[in-house]
């Protein structure tokens, strides 16, 4: 089981600051990179997460990589669907490997129960009203079981299954699952992707406490807007939020 083009060209580094940064620098060079190219690193010194957060990953124990896609078919208004597709791909890969159901915590973290196993950072460049390139940074905890950062709830494939994994052997399967959903996106299957995303969405249609405007407030996730904003029912009112306006209380 392998992908058609994702990961066919892999540039491997022992140690980098950030795979997203390296890929961005390579894109600025005159020699073009093929669609689906991957920058893979054994270690990142400055791995980045959402909203400038730091991604902890012990050397040689995890998957830290960035994928280059050229989704010129995708309009700016629908760019969140790329996040949906990649999230679904990683989630499906983990479900297959661990024989358990993962969930997607909005916007694109992958969870088992209340524990985070993977994060995604997507950086797009634009051309008129469409995307030109997308750098998709993925951090997936594989064999690490001790975490030193102040991240509140990390887990890994090994901490869930008790097994040690061959990271190199996992990559073709990971790329295969991501590419399946990327090709669905390219085929314009937006409704299908959204339905699949909502079916895996962490806390979907459940009432929980959130930090909204500095106050702990109960709310229920009921939808996702095309832009990616989270739609919630708060005090019987429909409200939408971006990532800086709401915080999950775990």
């Amino acid at each position: 089981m392998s992908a058609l083009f994702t990961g066919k060209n892999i540039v491997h580094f022992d140690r980098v600051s950030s795979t997203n940064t390296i890929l961005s620098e390579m894109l600025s060079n005159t020699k073009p990179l093929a669609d689906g190219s991957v920058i893979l690193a054994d270690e990142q010194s400055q791995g980045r997460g959402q909203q400038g957060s730091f991604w902890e990953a012990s050397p040689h124990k995890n998957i830290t990589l960035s994928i280059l896609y050229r989704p010129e078919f995708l309009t700016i208004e629908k760019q969140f669907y790329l996040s949906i597709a990649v999230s679904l791909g990683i989630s499906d890969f983990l479900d297959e490997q661990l024989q358990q159901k993962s969930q997607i915590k909005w916007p694109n973290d992958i969870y088992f129960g209340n524990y985070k196993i993977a994060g995604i950072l997507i950086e797009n460049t634009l051309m008129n009203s469409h995307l030109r390139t997308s750098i998709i940074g993925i951090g997936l905890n594989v064999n690490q079981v001790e975490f030193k950062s102040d991240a509140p709830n990390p887990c890994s494939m090994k901490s869930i299954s008790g097994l040690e994994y061959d990271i190199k052997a996992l990559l073709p399967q990971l790329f295969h699952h991501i590419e399946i959903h990327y090709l669905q996106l390219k085929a314009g299957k937006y409704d299908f992707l959204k339905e699949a995303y909502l079916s895996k969405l962490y806390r979907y249609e459940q009432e929980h406490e959130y930090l909204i405007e500095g106050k702990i407030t109960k709310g229920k996730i009921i939808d996702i807007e095309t832009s990616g904003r989270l739609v919630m029912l708060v005090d019987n009112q429909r409200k939408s939020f971006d990532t800086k306006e709401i915080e999950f209380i775990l």
Side-chain angles (χ1 to χ4, degrees), residues 157-169:
M157 293 176 67
K158 184 176 180 178
S159 69
I160 292 170
S161 70
L163 302 175
E164 188 86 11
Y165 293 88
D166 180 339
I167 291 176
K168 185 177 180 180

Side-chain angles (χ1 to χ4, degrees), residues 125-180:
T125 62
L126 310 177
M127 181 174 58
N128 299 321
S129 61
H130 287 70
L131 271 60
R132 183 178 184 183
T133 62
S134 293
I135 296 175
I136 300 161
I138 297 170
L140 172 58
N141 298 330
V142 180
N143 293 319
Q144 185 171 349
V145 293
E146 295 183 2
F147 296 87
K148 299 177 181 179
S149 75
D150 58 359
N153 58 339
C155 70
S156 68
M157 293 176 67
K158 184 176 180 178
S159 69
I160 292 170
S161 70
L163 302 175
E164 188 86 11
Y165 293 88
D166 180 339
I167 291 176
K168 185 177 180 180
L170 293 175
L171 294 175
Q173 299 168 69
L174 174 63
F175 297 149
H176 168 74
H177 283 287
I178 291 173
E179 189 175 277
I180 285 173

Side-chain angles (χ1 to χ4, degrees), residues 48-204:
R48 292 181 286 140
Q50 292 287 344
Q51 300 182 50
S53 62
F54 171 74
W55 181 264
E56 178 189 359
S58 294
H60 305 283
K61 289 185 177 293
N62 305 293
I63 291 174
T64 49
L65 58 81
S66 295
I67 301 171
L68 170 67
Y69 280 141
R70 300 182 182 275
E72 297 173 357
F73 57 87
L74 194 60
T75 63
I76 294 171
E77 291 77 15
K78 291 186 175 179
Q79 61 184 300
F80 185 71
Y81 280 90
L82 179 60
S83 181
I84 288 176
V86 175
S87 300
L88 287 169
I90 297 172
S91 179
D92 286 353
F93 162 78
L94 288 167
D95 291 356
E96 180 181 81
Q97 292 295 317
L98 298 173
Q99 295 298 299
Q100 298 184 42
K101 292 295 183 183
S102 60
Q103 292 183 293
I104 303 169
K105 177 178 169 288
W106 176 83
N108 55 18
D109 288 334
I110 312 301
Y111 270 47
F112 277 92
N114 292 318
Y115 295 90
K116 179 177 177 178
I117 193 169
I120 302 164
L121 178 64
I122 299 178
E123 297 176 306
N124 299 318
T125 62
L126 310 177
M127 181 174 58
N128 299 321
S129 61
H130 287 70
L131 271 60
R132 183 178 184 183
T133 62
S134 293
I135 296 175
I136 300 161
I138 297 170
L140 172 58
N141 298 330
V142 180
N143 293 319
Q144 185 171 349
V145 293
E146 295 183 2
F147 296 87
K148 299 177 181 179
S149 75
D150 58 359
N153 58 339
C155 70
S156 68
M157 293 176 67
K158 184 176 180 178
S159 69
I160 292 170
S161 70
L163 302 175
E164 188 86 11
Y165 293 88
D166 180 339
I167 291 176
K168 185 177 180 180
L170 293 175
L171 294 175
Q173 299 168 69
L174 174 63
F175 297 149
H176 168 74
H177 283 287
I178 291 173
E179 189 175 277
I180 285 173
H181 293 291
Y182 181 74
L183 292 176
Q184 290 169 346
L185 177 63
K186 191 172 184 178
K189 297 182 179 180
Y190 300 110
D191 291 342
F192 173 84
L193 288 167
K194 180 179 177 180
E195 184 178 343
Y197 180 84
L198 290 177
S199 74
K200 287 198 162 195
L201 192 59
Y202 178 70
R203 293 185 176 178
Y204 180 56

Side-chain angles (χ1 to χ4, degrees), residues 23-31:
L23 183 48
S24 179
E25 290 172 354
M26 293 176 72
L27 274 177
S28 66
N29 296 335
T30 55
K31 185 178 180 180

Side-chain angles (χ1 to χ4, degrees), residues 177-238:
H177 283 287
I178 291 173
E179 189 175 277
I180 285 173
H181 293 291
Y182 181 74
L183 292 176
Q184 290 169 346
L185 177 63
K186 191 172 184 178
K189 297 182 179 180
Y190 300 110
D191 291 342
F192 173 84
L193 288 167
K194 180 179 177 180
E195 184 178 343
Y197 180 84
L198 290 177
S199 74
K200 287 198 162 195
L201 192 59
Y202 178 70
R203 293 185 176 178
Y204 180 56
E205 294 189 331
Q206 301 173 16
E207 189 169 73
H208 286 274
E209 290 185 337
Y210 300 87
L211 189 63
I212 302 173
E213 296 179 349
K215 297 180 180 179
I216 296 177
T217 306
K218 286 187 176 181
K220 181 190 294 186
I221 298 172
I222 59 172
D223 202 0
I224 297 289
E225 293 181 351
T226 299
S227 65
R229 288 176 67 88
L230 184 69
V231 182
M232 297 188 65
L233 197 62
V234 180
D235 295 329
N236 293 318
Q237 293 184 337
R238 184 184 175 99

